Amino acid sequence: MNTLPAPFEERMRKLLGEEAPAFFDALQTEPPVSIRLNPRKFPASLPIFPQAATAGPVSWCPDAFYLNARPLFTLDPYLHGGAYYVQEASSMFIAHILNQILPEKEIRALDLCAAPGGKSTLLSSLLPPDSVLVANEVIRSRATILKENIIKWGSEQVVVTNNDPSDFGALRGAFDLILVDAPCSGEGMFRKDPNAIQEWSEHNLQLCSERQRRILQDIWDCLKPGGFLIYSTCTYHREENEAILEWLLRQYDARSVEIRHSFDSITPGYSEAYCYRFYPHKTRGEGFFTGVIQKTEGPEFHLPANKKNKISPVSLPAETRALLAYPELYTPYANEQIVGILPVRQAAFIRLLDNSLRVLYKGCEVAEIIHKKVRPLPALALWQGLNQDQCPIYQADKTTALTFLKKEDIPPIPLTGDWILITHEGIGLGWCKNLGNRLNNYYPKEWRIRMQLNS
Ligand code: SAM
């Protein structure tokens, strides 16, 4: 690991006292590797990660495991099929929080700083039925990666947007839950990402803390009275953590929410506000901070009943509709040549999002219609609501699946039907067009694996 910045070392020695040597020792060890399975996709019986059984579960998150070693994830078809997400274990504590604060009824949630999508995929797996999650990322290139990860995770409950926090003005009081996983000085990532050390500076600490307040100020109005704001960072710096929660509580009608737990490895934050710290010498994970604030008062949200938010009726092509496991649960939409589906109970709200934000993706884009010809889209192959029984299926072994994911030709097999779903161990990966003696690979060019298979 690169040399730690001296002012950081000094501050941590003061903060941790006699625990400090254990903390610095932990920073010299290999970071643990952990994954979270996609509960809607992962056939639990598959011994895909036998090593997970020995490395143990992540205790605060369902379906999450440590691995004994870091595999070459790029060459694992399951990852490309959205069967699991590689996620740092401390940050999965969000699952434990959600289990305590989520109601049973549907909600509207916003993940404001969402790329690359770790917490959005986690949230989308835990949302009550009929809910919607807006996964937003301000930086365009990062929003593209977020969109890819959301499509692969395969939930139709997510809308991906590319906006600055100040753009959410039309959505006052609209969200039951807002997650602000704020951009921060990244001290908790020093072990895992040496760049975080290079980018650290005392000047940047100050900028981060100012930016966090600005982000929260911009978005606070969008939280519904009674709604929850989960704030998190991956730094140890008090001005970006406890001080931000204290500032929120001073500034707004809000209360701090206690999250009950029995994990000795979690350190209480240094504040009257309830908050939780994760240190690498105590937790099998990286540095992390989180706390929950509940809004006590504020304006209620009403969906404006204007014409612009009405959904124009669209019907799906019959061959596409036949591929949906539960077509009655969705409202179809059309966007130029693309047709997609939205969850019925959120369709009007999503239309409002369309009219007020830069929406990059919504629901599930199921097909493209060009000159009356219907082409199934990659998202449909990856979607949790696809009825695979209605598709001609090519069950690809690992080598063939990787060849497909490299967007190269895979050997044809005798199958009838125009469009063939390529799967690996039951996980949908994408489509090939059946030309009889050849299969045309329709895997998206921008997602293809660029690595050599034998490397
Ligand atoms: N929640 C993500 C996950 O779990 O995968 C990680 C989010 S990362 C800690 C913080 C994100 O905030 C980055 O993607 C960054 O681009 C974004 N960001 C940077 N400046 C921002 C700003 N001014 N407002 C909102 N988001 C910002």
Side-chain angles (χ1 to χ4, degrees):
M1 197 177 64
N2 297 356
T3 315
L4 295 170
F8 166 77
E9 270 202 53
E10 200 183 312
R11 168 158 54 81
M12 293 310 288
R13 281 191 205 289
K14 271 197 201 136
L15 188 72
L16 291 171
E18 56 188 33
E19 280 185 34
F23 169 76
F24 290 113
D25 284 351
L27 291 189
Q28 301 304 325
T29 61
E30 281 295 308
V33 183
S34 45
I35 59 166
R36 183 170 40 76
L37 307 184
N38 186 337
R40 298 269 305 273
K41 285 196 180 189
F42 210 89
S45 57
L46 277 178
I48 288 165
F49 280 107
Q51 37 160 335
T54 52
V58 177
S59 33
W60 37 75
C61 183
D63 306 315
F65 299 91
Y66 293 97
L67 303 182
N68 283 328
R70 194 175 183 87
L72 193 48
F73 285 117
T74 309
L75 297 188
D76 183 0
Y78 295 113
L79 181 73
H80 300 270
Y84 66 90
Y85 194 95
V86 185
Q87 188 171 29
E88 192 285 299
S90 305
S91 65
M92 294 187 206
F93 186 67
I94 299 294
H96 185 82
I97 295 180
L98 292 172
N99 276 332
Q100 269 176 52
I101 64 172
L102 279 181
E104 278 173 22
K105 64 173 186 52
E106 74 208 45
I107 63 159
R108 290 188 289 258
L110 166 64
D111 182 359
L112 185 65
C113 313
K119 297 184 191 64
S120 283
T121 53
L122 187 154
L123 253 163
S124 76
S125 294
L126 294 176
L127 286 180
D130 294 325
S131 300
V132 65
L133 168 66
V134 179
N136 176 70
E137 168 58 43
V138 64
I139 298 175
R140 179 68 200 224
S141 55
R142 291 179 61 82
T144 305
I145 295 164
L146 172 67
K147 173 178 158 182
E148 176 180 336
N149 286 332
I150 292 295
I151 292 176
K152 289 180 174 173
W153 200 249
S155 160
E156 74 287 347
Q157 291 179 293
V158 186
V159 178
V160 180
T161 58
N162 171 217
N163 284 88
D164 187 86
S166 61
D167 297 340
F168 284 75
L171 298 162
R172 281 170 75 94
F175 294 100
D176 304 83
L177 175 75
I178 300 182
L179 169 62
V180 177
D181 186 32
C184 68
S185 53
E187 295 171 351
M189 289 294 141
F190 280 179
R191 173 169 66 171
K192 209 172 154 211
D193 175 12
N195 283 336
I197 303 180
Q198 301 300 325
E199 283 165 21
W200 188 95
S201 73
E202 289 194 89
H203 175 64
N204 195 31
L205 294 183
Q206 176 67 22
L207 291 182
C208 283
S209 154
E210 283 165 11
R211 181 168 55 183
Q212 286 147 358
R213 285 169 208 233
R214 218 167 39 237
I215 291 172
L216 290 163
Q217 214 157 20
D218 281 341
I219 212 66
W220 181 259
D221 274 356
C222 298
L223 191 62
K224 183 176 167 171
F228 295 97
L229 179 122
I230 306 177
Y231 178 74
S232 61
T233 71
C234 57
T235 192
Y236 306 111
H237 180 219
R238 198 183 178 285
E239 287 305 305
E240 298 176 62
N241 293 335
E242 288 87 347
I244 297 286
L245 295 183
E246 289 160 3
W247 169 81
L248 273 173
L249 291 167
R250 278 198 310 274
Q251 194 84 355
Y252 300 109
D253 292 318
R255 70 172 193 98
S256 165
V257 177
E258 180 176 11
I259 302 300
R260 296 175 307 281
H261 71 83
S262 52
F263 306 111
D264 296 340
S265 57
I266 300 176
T267 307
Y270 313 111
S271 174
E272 300 260 295
Y274 297 109
C275 47
Y276 308 88
R277 280 181 169 246
F278 295 71
Y279 288 111
H281 62 292
K282 296 182 77 176
T283 314
R284 277 170 86 187
E286 302 311 291
F288 185 64
F289 171 88
T290 189
V292 182
I293 302 284
Q294 184 174 31
K295 186 172 194 168
T296 49
E297 276 178 54
E300 294 281 347
F301 173 76
H302 299 285
L303 195 61
N306 59 21
K307 271 203 205 133
K308 271 172 75 188
N309 295 328
K310 275 233 179 94
I311 312 221
S312 353
V314 169
S315 39
L316 291 178
E319 64 262 52
T320 308
R321 195 172 192 278
L323 299 180
L324 313 194
Y326 303 102
E328 65 284 0
L329 296 182
Y330 313 112
T331 300
Y333 70 85
N335 188 359
E336 298 180 356
Q337 293 156 333
I338 289 176
V339 286
I341 56 91
L342 302 173
V344 169
R345 291 174 62 86
Q346 296 295 347
F349 179 68
I350 294 175
R351 186 50 53 102
L352 171 66
L353 298 177
D354 255 334
N355 292 332
S356 44
L357 297 172
R358 190 180 307 135
V359 171
L360 300 187
Y361 189 77
K362 55 179 182 275
C364 178
E365 293 184 353
V366 291
E368 188 172 29
I369 305 174
I370 301 172
H371 304 308
K372 298 199 177 149
K373 288 223 163 99
V374 179
R375 175 165 79 84
L377 287 173
L380 179 61
L382 291 150
W383 181 37
Q384 299 161 359
L386 171 69
N387 185 357
Q388 286 196 1
D389 293 344
Q390 295 298 317
C391 309
I393 292 188
Y394 185 132
Q395 295 175 3
D397 60 18
K398 188 169 177 186
T399 307
T400 311
L402 289 173
T403 308
F404 172 76
L405 293 166
K406 277 178 72 65
K407 204 172 166 55
E408 290 173 359
D409 287 345
I410 58 171
I413 54 169
L415 277 169
T416 49
D418 272 356
W419 289 96
I420 310 295
L421 177 69
I422 312 301
T423 66
H424 178 62
E425 303 283 3
I427 306 287
L429 299 176
W431 302 99
C432 276
K433 180 148 178 125
N434 191 3
L435 304 177
N437 56 352
R438 209 163 68 76
L439 291 170
N440 235 355
N441 187 334
Y442 271 75
Y443 196 66
K445 196 166 85 203
E446 59 283 10
W447 292 358
R448 75 188 189 281
I449 298 177
R450 292 178 172 86
M451 190 182 270
Q452 288 301 318
L453 291 191
N454 53 5
S455 60

